[in-house]
Amino acid sequence: MSLRNSDQSWGTVAKTLHWFIAVMILGMFVLGWAAVNYPMSPLKLRLFIWHKTLGISLLALVLFRIAWRLANPTPVPPSGMRRWERPLARASHVLLYVVMLAMPLSGWVIHSAANFPLKLYGLVLLPSIAPADKALQTQAELVHLTLFWIFVALLLLHVGAALHHHFVYRDDTLTRMLPARSKAAGGTRA
Ligand code: HEM
Ligand code: HEM
């Protein structure tokens, strides 16, 4: 199996990034929700430190994923994909990338506006990307929460589409994104 994408299949790097980032994002939802709702205590603080540290690491990983995506061929649409579905699939993937960037960036703005020092992995001080400002913090919190719900809606659509292709159209959309697949059965360029 090739590390790089071909015009017929996703390579190992793209697949690994897809599933690793997916698991990390679900973990971030849980960690964010737990940190907000846990009663004030040292554990609450630790949950926030991990939420922020992993969130910034995720931002770096998503930037690498985008660079990798741009430096590789994009596989042709799966064989079972209808012509009208293609722009929708492309738009939803672009939106997923936008939210994967906007979510950690808005979190970083909350953190900066709250003016709370944080050392990533206890090593590097996270720089501020916004001035210390209570009103800005509140606005950024609202943006972060709204993005979370947009993310959930996009993911329901994304997973729904993947399962629909697999169980209803019975095409290779899902299987060609799975790790074990060595070679994708033909896509279509039409
Ligand atoms: C993909 C990355 C991220 C995801 C999916 C995510 C998700 C979440 C979620 C689900 C919440 C709970 C929302 C609520 O109940 O109000 C939350 C809260 C929060 N997140 Fe993130 N987050 C991410 C990255 C970050 C980063 C990088 C930072 C800071 C450097 C951050 C800082 C915060 C803060 C401060 C809160 C509490 C906001 C409040 O009190 O309303 N997040 N996050
Ligand atoms: C947080 C979770 C997820 C995110 C952010 C996400 C994001 C993406 C993005 C941006 C793509 C476009 C291809 C790329 O650039 O790598 C993609 C492709 C894909 N995703 Fe996800 N995904 C997530 C979870 C899932 C899950 C749970 C499934 C399956 C049930 C799934 C199934 C697929 C499939 C089958 C493709 C390939 C589509 C094609 O070949 O055209 N994804 N995903």
Side-chain angles (χ1 to χ4, degrees):
M1 178 154 41
S2 167
L3 286 181
R4 288 177 58 80
N5 299 347
S6 72
D7 64 352
Q8 293 296 323
S9 61
W10 298 104
T12 314
V13 174
K15 289 180 186 183
T16 307
L17 285 168
H18 176 270
W19 293 110
F20 186 70
I21 288 175
V23 169
M24 263 187 94
I25 285 173
L26 297 182
M28 288 295 292
F29 287 169
V30 176
L31 211 46
W33 179 85
V36 167
N37 290 293
Y38 208 78
M40 189 48 83
S41 62
L43 177 58
K44 184 181 177 84
L45 203 67
R46 276 208 297 279
L47 289 172
F48 265 121
I49 289 172
W50 278 109
H51 179 76
K52 293 176 181 182
T53 302
L54 292 177
I56 296 293
S57 311
L58 197 54
L59 176 61
L61 210 54
V62 171
L63 288 173
F64 173 74
R65 179 174 173 183
I66 292 172
W68 184 263
R69 176 79 149 78
L70 296 176
N72 273 260
T74 305
V76 291
S79 48
M81 190 172 273
R82 306 333 189 225
R83 189 173 279 276
W84 62 268
E85 286 176 322
R86 293 179 197 174
L88 288 183
R90 204 174 313 122
S92 67
H93 291 163
V94 170
L95 280 176
L96 279 167
Y97 278 119
V98 169
V99 183
M100 278 191 274
L101 291 173
M103 194 86 216
L105 284 173
S106 60
W108 197 350
V109 172
I110 309 176
H111 170 80
S112 308
N115 199 18
F116 189 86
L118 168 73
K119 274 192 169 179
L120 297 173
Y121 300 101
L123 294 172
V124 191
L125 191 68
L126 182 64
S128 279
I129 54 165
D133 179 341
K134 185 72 197 155
L136 177 63
Q137 181 189 340
T138 311
Q139 278 170 10
E141 282 171 3
L142 188 65
V143 171
H144 203 58
L145 183 62
T146 309
L147 282 169
F148 164 67
W149 286 113
I150 294 175
F151 213 160
V152 170
L154 279 172
L155 283 179
L156 287 177
L157 201 74
H158 184 65
V159 173
L163 296 180
H164 194 77
H165 275 274
H166 191 69
F167 292 109
V168 180
Y169 295 162
R170 294 175 183 276
D171 64 21
D172 63 340
T173 308
L174 180 58
T175 49
R176 74 178 193 166
M177 191 39 112
L178 294 179
R181 199 77 194 282
S182 60
K183 203 168 170 219
T188 173
R189 284 175 191 282

